[in-house]
Amino acid sequence: MLHHIAAVRLFYAFLHASNEVRLILQHAGYGVFHQLFGILAIGDRQLLQSRFYVCRKMDFHTSHDKGKWSVSQIVPLVPLKHYNGRLSRPWIILGVIILYLLHLGGAGMLGPDEPRYASIGKSMAQSGDLITPRLNEKPWFEKPPLLYWMVAVGNWFRFSNEWAARLPVALASIAFLIFFGDVLSREFSPQIGAIATAILATSAGWFAYYSFALTDLPMSAALGAAMLVALFEPFEMRQRVNRGWIAGALLGVAVLGKGLVPLVLFAPVMLIVRRRRLAILGGMLIVAVPWHLLCYLRNGHLFWDDYFWKQHVARFFTPQLEHVQPFWYYLPVLLAGLFPWTPLVGLFARRRLFDDFRMLVLSVWTLYGLLFFSLARNKLPGYVLPLMPAIAILLAVAIDKAPGKQYWITACALMLVLIPTAGRILPGALVSGLSRTHIVFAASGLFFLIAAAGAAYFGWQQYAELAVACVALAAALGIVYLKNTALPVLDRTVSVRPFFANNQQQIEDSCLGDVRRAWEYGLNYYAGREIPHCAPKGDRRTRIQGSQALLSLEVPRNP
């Protein structure tokens, strides 16, 4: 009997950190100790899982016959010889770099905004004027200069048209993802950092903006970095680094990315970081004010009226910019932007997630941002991109805390079967709208059931990080598939690049007829000048004409 008591005391001293194991020892007999010894001897539960063993379903039930506690379903996991409990960070970074840079110029300039912003950046590179943005030699104050400066740098390095405009944005996204994962690994755990980074890097919303020269992602990356620095502690030398000044400088970069909206989004953070308010404000002013002041001194009220009143006040309160959408517009946009991780939103219903005050802060901030954007009259999908990093953190922590996580992760993997279908409908949806696009399920998507099986296996074996990695890898393969299949179609049907390359000599002396705005900006970008509009009558120049998804040249007949 004494040796039994000595054994119990030894186990208590060795396993004091695990409350669940201590409960087992309290209510079970020595025979159970003997069964658990090989599993429990390696340490507490967290170390237990990292060493590839776990007690699955550590539930307790009372035996009515003996009135004693027993343990059910204690099952050792299958060890993975070459897995040490963490994914290799350098390989993850290398994979993200390859994925993000692959086929960056696979399609020409798309939409009206990308060629317009790229034209302004090219003009800055050619003129050397980094203060006044100019489009076709005319001042253009729709957005502040961060993206234009990035494009100008790409042109100074003499990259090709698409690479000069898109590479700086892709590199900014990669840098933010690396910083994002590093901060979360320090603040929470390496597993949560890896999962959150995988979710953000492969989500449809982030993917849709990292590879195009648009203002949304540079602003979102700068704002996200400012919030990470302000709310968490990303630096080892914490006492030597004034995080307030760094957070403020990053917030100033965000202001240079998209105006005053980052200040509105960052306002709730200022309520929490009381001791760093002045430093944050000072850092933001030092970075953001000089350009605004210089641009105002050069251009006067023309700058302020367009930049502030039209692009900020009128865009929020009036429908004059023609992007009016209903109040609920961003709910489906966010759900689609989280693809393939959309099923994880169901984990927000678990109250345990919000036991962590940091998660409560991020969730309240996300709702605040969603409400702010929903109240605006004008809405575009990219406006809610700044909310994506916070949502990725919430989802990663939710997975880490969730029971039955294998089911949630497998549901995300099953979503991937829709990728080939999305690749088929994407070009038509961009040209004619989703409601007018014929949707047919692509059977090739069933290939992704392999990923679902892998995620289910690793999830069942309690390797949550490997299960998420399995989905993320399959999503990355899906992104590569889309780049190889959808981008060439978009290049032919949406971009003007092939048309310009095939008709460059005729375009030199041509004029624009009835051409949609996106094609007009694209033609001007590739031509390097503003192509004039045709006169209503008697214009004898070659006319560039557009009809739905087709551009053509109309040569006037001789009288």
Side-chain angles (χ1 to χ4, degrees):
M1 183 63 183
L2 292 177
H3 73 278
H4 287 185
I5 296 175
V8 170
R9 289 179 177 175
L10 179 62
F11 274 99
Y12 266 87
F14 186 71
L15 302 169
H16 67 279
S18 175
N19 291 329
E20 291 184 3
V21 174
R22 195 157 55 240
L23 187 60
I24 293 174
L25 298 180
Q26 181 178 352
H27 294 289
Y30 182 80
V32 175
F33 294 171
H34 183 74
Q35 296 172 21
L36 290 175
F37 179 82
I39 301 174
L40 298 180
I42 61 174
D44 63 17
R45 187 178 63 172
Q46 182 178 358
L47 180 60
L48 203 64
Q49 292 176 346
S50 70
R51 299 296 296 177
F52 331 123
Y53 293 96
V54 73
C55 297
R56 184 185 299 140
K57 295 184 180 179
M58 300 184 71
D59 304 323
F60 303 100
H61 60 270
T62 304
S63 172
H64 294 286
D65 296 333
K66 299 181 179 180
K68 296 182 179 180
W69 291 83
S70 60
V71 181
S72 64
Q73 294 184 326
I74 299 176
V75 183
L77 297 182
V78 179
L80 300 180
K81 294 181 180 179
H82 303 290
Y83 178 58
N84 63 356
R86 295 183 184 179
L87 296 177
S88 174
R89 189 166 178 266
W91 283 107
I92 294 175
I93 294 173
L94 179 61
V96 170
I97 292 174
I98 294 174
L99 176 66
Y100 274 38
L101 300 186
L102 183 68
H103 293 307
L104 199 58
M109 294 291 168
L110 301 176
D113 291 336
E114 189 180 27
R116 186 167 66 234
Y117 299 155
S119 295
I120 297 172
K122 181 187 289 187
S123 175
M124 280 190 169
Q126 294 172 348
S127 66
D129 181 6
L130 301 180
I131 303 301
T132 302
R134 297 183 184 276
L135 180 65
N136 301 325
E137 304 300 326
K138 301 173 185 177
W140 187 271
F141 302 119
E142 181 177 304
K143 294 290 187 293
L146 178 62
L147 177 64
Y148 310 147
W149 292 344
M150 296 168 70
V151 175
V153 171
N155 280 274
W156 285 335
F157 279 97
R158 300 186 181 279
F159 293 120
S160 61
N161 283 323
E162 291 76 23
W163 278 80
R166 294 170 178 169
L167 180 61
V169 177
L171 293 179
S173 176
I174 293 170
F176 173 73
L177 289 172
I178 294 173
F179 181 69
F180 181 74
D182 184 68
V183 172
L184 297 184
S185 296
R186 295 175 185 272
E187 179 69 21
F188 296 95
S189 69
Q191 176 170 294
I192 290 178
I195 292 175
T197 305
I199 290 174
L200 184 60
T202 57
S203 60
W206 198 263
F207 160 71
Y209 285 90
Y210 87 84
S211 57
F212 300 103
L214 300 173
T215 59
D216 302 278
L217 194 140
M219 184 275 282
S220 301
L223 177 63
M227 291 186 60
L228 290 173
V229 174
L231 294 175
F232 305 138
E233 297 184 354
F235 307 109
E236 293 183 359
M237 305 297 294
R238 296 169 185 173
Q239 296 180 353
R240 298 185 182 181
V241 178
N242 192 325
R243 292 189 288 130
W245 289 100
I246 297 177
L250 290 168
L251 180 60
V253 174
V255 171
L256 291 176
K258 211 171 180 182
L260 304 182
V261 171
L263 296 181
V264 178
L265 294 177
F266 196 82
V269 179
M270 297 292 279
L271 300 176
I272 301 174
V273 291
R274 297 179 180 179
R275 297 181 180 179
R276 294 188 290 273
R277 288 176 183 170
L278 291 179
I280 291 174
L281 182 61
M284 184 275 296
L285 293 175
I286 290 173
V287 173
V289 166
W291 175 82
H292 288 84
L293 181 60
L294 290 173
C295 197
Y296 176 77
L297 292 176
R298 284 194 182 184
N299 301 280
H301 291 289
L302 177 64
F303 162 69
W304 192 247
D305 291 343
D306 191 358
Y307 176 76
F308 179 74
W309 291 108
K310 180 180 178 180
Q311 300 301 331
H312 286 82
V313 179
R315 186 179 290 269
F316 190 89
F317 291 104
T318 70
Q320 69 182 51
L321 297 181
E322 300 180 353
H323 299 306
V324 178
Q325 299 292 347
F327 178 82
W328 49 264
Y329 172 75
Y330 284 122
L331 290 177
V333 167
L334 275 177
L335 291 176
L338 290 172
F339 177 91
W341 309 100
T342 309
L344 299 181
V345 173
L347 292 173
F348 290 164
R350 300 189 71 250
R351 295 181 60 182
R352 185 184 173 191
L353 171 64
F354 307 106
D355 292 342
D356 188 331
F357 180 73
R358 297 167 297 182
M359 297 302 99
L360 184 61
V361 169
L362 288 177
S363 61
V364 171
W365 180 84
T366 302
L367 291 175
Y368 163 80
L370 181 61
L371 178 63
F372 169 73
F373 289 122
S374 298
L375 289 174
R377 296 295 302 276
N378 294 277
K379 299 178 178 69
L380 289 172
Y383 289 177
V384 292
L385 194 65
L387 307 182
M388 295 288 290
I391 296 176
I393 298 173
L394 289 167
L395 294 178
V397 176
I399 291 175
D400 188 64
K401 292 185 175 183
K405 58 191 68 169
Q406 65 270 22
Y407 302 111
W408 296 96
I409 300 174
T410 303
C412 296
L414 291 174
M415 296 284 289
L416 295 172
V417 301
L418 299 176
I419 286 181
T421 303
R424 287 186 179 182
I425 67 176
L426 182 60
L430 290 178
V431 174
S432 306
L434 184 61
S435 60
R436 300 180 181 179
T437 304
H438 183 57
I439 300 177
V440 178
F441 177 74
S444 56
L446 297 177
F447 169 80
F448 289 98
L449 291 177
I450 299 175
Y457 171 77
F458 289 123
W460 185 257
Q461 293 293 322
Q462 302 296 324
Y463 301 123
E465 192 174 17
L466 286 181
V468 171
C470 187
V471 180
L473 178 60
L477 293 176
I479 292 173
V480 173
Y481 172 85
L482 288 177
K483 287 187 173 186
N484 282 281
T485 57
L487 286 183
V489 180
L490 291 174
D491 193 44
R492 294 192 304 267
T493 59
V494 180
S495 172
V496 301
R497 182 174 67 174
F499 175 81
F500 181 85
N502 294 330
N503 303 279
Q504 187 170 356
Q505 292 184 348
Q506 296 92 318
I507 291 175
E508 290 294 330
D509 299 319
S510 63
C511 60
L512 292 176
D514 186 13
V515 174
R516 67 174 66 177
R517 189 179 60 149
W519 285 344
E520 178 182 348
Y521 287 129
L523 289 168
N524 290 341
Y525 173 74
Y526 287 108
R529 61 183 177 85
E530 183 179 14
I531 301 175
H533 287 265
C534 300
K537 294 182 180 180
D539 200 318
R540 305 299 301 168
R541 291 174 294 181
T542 301
R543 179 185 296 262
I544 302 176
Q545 199 70 22
S547 60
Q548 293 198 4
L550 181 65
L551 279 171
S552 61
L553 290 173
E554 295 182 359
V555 180
R557 298 179 181 179
N558 294 324

